[in-house]
Amino acid sequence: MSAVVTAVSSNGTYSFTKPNRESITLLAGLGVEGDVHAGVTVKHRSRVAQDPTQPNLRQVHLMHEELFAEVGAEGFEVTPGDLGENITTRGIDLLGLPVGTVLRVGEEAVLEVTGLRNPCLQIDHFRDGLLKQVVGRDEAGNLVRKAGIMSIVQHGGTVRPGDAITVELPSEPHRPLDRV
């Protein structure tokens, strides 16, 4: 199976979920045009409270559609945009990518993977108990975050459902993703 965009979402106001769109436009160094989280510096409220001058390493949020089936098996209905992602994917192990991976999306857009989304309590406000499904521990007791990855826009372009995604791994040694 090849990697593909299954949905795109954005929202100009703060809200946990983001409505699906026919397309989104990615702007180099900023994020999704018209999205509340676009900008050179951090836009997520908790990060702004810590230091509003931090660079925005969370310009575009990607989530793997396969997670919806996984949490669905536990009784949670989740669809694209529900967890605030901008790009929903299928056929790519987003969580297994190293920091610095380049994702070519559609004809023009280029993203650089910066890290993992750190799921917060808002997920339980959306669906009670869902946070435990997207944050857990592996067999060794290590924290596992499953709520997608974050990226910055290297080159802008329009992204639509059905667009192909090409993965370019960085030079080794690879650094595993951590929360950003």
Side-chain angles (χ1 to χ4, degrees):
M1 174 188 294
S2 58
V4 66
V5 173
T6 60
V8 293
S9 311
S10 67
N11 200 340
T13 59
Y14 281 102
S15 145
F16 185 69
T17 62
K18 295 187 178 191
N20 295 156
R21 309 286 183 194
E22 289 184 21
S23 66
I24 56 174
T25 301
L26 302 184
L27 304 173
L30 295 173
V32 180
E33 183 177 46
D35 191 81
V36 71
H37 294 113
V40 174
T41 57
V42 293
K43 300 301 175 197
H44 288 75
R45 290 177 175 167
S46 63
R47 307 238 189 259
V48 170
Q50 291 173 356
D51 177 3
T53 66
Q54 294 176 74
N56 188 2
L57 301 178
R58 300 166 55 105
Q59 294 173 359
V60 180
H61 177 196
L62 295 94
M63 186 168 304
H64 51 298
E65 185 179 74
E66 292 84 354
L67 177 65
F68 304 154
E70 183 181 326
V71 300
E74 299 298 322
F76 295 92
E77 181 183 344
V78 179
T79 60
D82 282 351
L83 299 181
E85 75 275 12
N86 300 111
I87 299 175
T88 309
T89 68
R90 181 176 57 239
I92 179 174
D93 178 14
L94 294 176
L95 304 177
L97 298 173
V99 172
T101 297
V102 170
L103 302 175
R104 296 188 180 279
V105 186
E107 294 180 17
E108 298 179 77
V110 180
L111 300 172
E112 180 182 336
V113 176
T114 56
L116 295 168
R117 175 189 183 187
N118 190 32
C120 65
L121 193 56
Q122 287 184 0
I123 290 178
D124 273 350
H125 296 293
F126 172 70
R127 298 273 191 277
D128 190 38
L130 184 57
L131 183 59
K132 286 185 179 180
Q133 300 299 314
V134 298
V135 178
R137 300 242 175 227
D138 64 15
E139 308 79 38
N142 299 312
L143 190 64
V144 176
R145 295 174 178 91
K146 300 180 192 177
I149 63 170
M150 308 307 286
S151 64
I152 57 173
V153 182
Q154 287 187 339
H155 189 274
T158 301
V159 177
R160 296 176 179 84
D163 281 350
I165 303 169
T166 303
V167 176
E168 296 175 9
L169 296 175
S171 300
E172 292 193 19
H174 291 163
R175 270 189 321 140
L177 296 178
D178 198 4
R179 69 182 182 97
V180 293

